Amino acid sequence: MKTNVVLIGMPGSGKSTVGVVLAKRLGYQFLDMDLVIQRQQGKLLWQVIKEKGNQGFMEIESRANQEVMVQNTVIAPGGSVVLEAEAMEHFREIAVIVYLKIGYRELEQRLGDLATRGVVLEEGETLLDLYNRRTPLCERYADIVIEEKGGQLYETVDAVWRAVCAEFSTSQK
């Protein structure tokens, strides 16, 4: 039985922010995988990417995500987790996967400097390219899709909470 919630979505979609509030509401723990990786590596994400390159970082991230063995936890992996099939298959086994869907224009407004945020961008890739590459993957892996409108935190948390509770009650029958 799945007892965890994994929040996926673009960088800046609110995975960590929504995750903390959702965990409190569910009485769950909260696990931010970006912070786990930073602690394991002793560096900020952008520093790990700069030092190891995109592929090296993705291997570190995928391994960290695949090693997650928790219960009753809201997990916020990095936005690039959807590029890691093995990690997503692991999360499918242990969690309900919720996609926090955000429109491109809102994403542009929310994000600051991508270089210091720790976002994996291919050479010459724009934010729009990234959005177009990751969105179909998020939709494919999601058990639940929550469309964020206007960045209202408590409305988003409420929508996720209702959907997750319905999913948990259905899966326990």
Side-chain angles (χ1 to χ4, degrees):
M1 180 173 71
K2 298 176 182 181
T3 64
N4 302 300
V5 177
V6 170
L7 301 175
I8 62 172
M10 291 295 292
S13 63
K15 297 179 297 292
S16 296
T17 306
V18 169
V20 168
V21 179
L22 179 65
K24 287 181 181 181
R25 185 143 185 213
L26 290 170
Y28 278 20
Q29 297 294 311
F30 176 70
L31 183 60
D32 187 318
M33 292 307 296
D34 286 348
L35 296 178
V36 169
I37 292 166
Q38 286 181 170
R39 188 173 52 248
Q40 286 175 348
Q41 298 297 310
K43 296 176 177 70
L44 298 174
L45 292 182
W46 70 267
Q47 293 170 320
V48 177
I49 293 169
K50 184 177 180 182
E51 180 182 298
K52 306 279 185 183
N54 286 348
Q55 190 59 40
F57 173 78
M58 296 283 292
E59 290 169 10
I60 290 166
E61 183 180 49
S62 184
R63 187 171 49 253
N65 285 317
Q66 290 177 66
E67 292 172 353
V68 172
M69 295 304 231
V70 294
Q71 292 185 343
N72 302 326
T73 302
V74 176
I75 305 162
S80 56
V81 69
V82 296
L83 303 172
E84 304 158 6
E86 297 88 359
M88 288 307 301
E89 289 307 315
H90 171 66
F91 283 146
R92 271 190 166 156
E93 291 174 11
I94 68 166
V96 171
I97 299 174
V98 179
Y99 171 30
L100 298 179
K101 187 173 185 175
I102 182 174
Y104 178 72
R105 294 217 190 289
E106 186 165 346
L107 178 66
E108 267 186 318
Q109 292 171 351
R110 286 189 190 186
L111 288 179
D113 182 9
L114 293 180
T116 60
R117 193 171 177 100
V119 175
V120 175
L121 285 171
E122 298 301 323
E123 184 76 30
E125 187 174 38
T126 66
L127 181 59
L128 182 58
D129 296 333
L130 183 79
Y131 184 84
N132 289 334
R133 181 165 56 109
R134 289 187 186 176
T135 297
L137 294 170
C138 289
E139 290 171 351
R140 183 173 78 202
Y141 286 119
D143 296 311
I144 299 167
V145 177
I146 302 295
E147 291 203 35
E148 294 189 75
K149 296 181 176 90
Q152 300 299 320
L153 174 62
Y154 288 98
E155 288 177 17
T156 300
V157 170
D158 209 44
V160 174
W161 180 78
R162 282 193 310 274
V164 165
C165 287
E167 183 75 22
F168 281 160
S169 68
T170 302
S171 68
Q172 291 176 1
K173 290 181 181 176

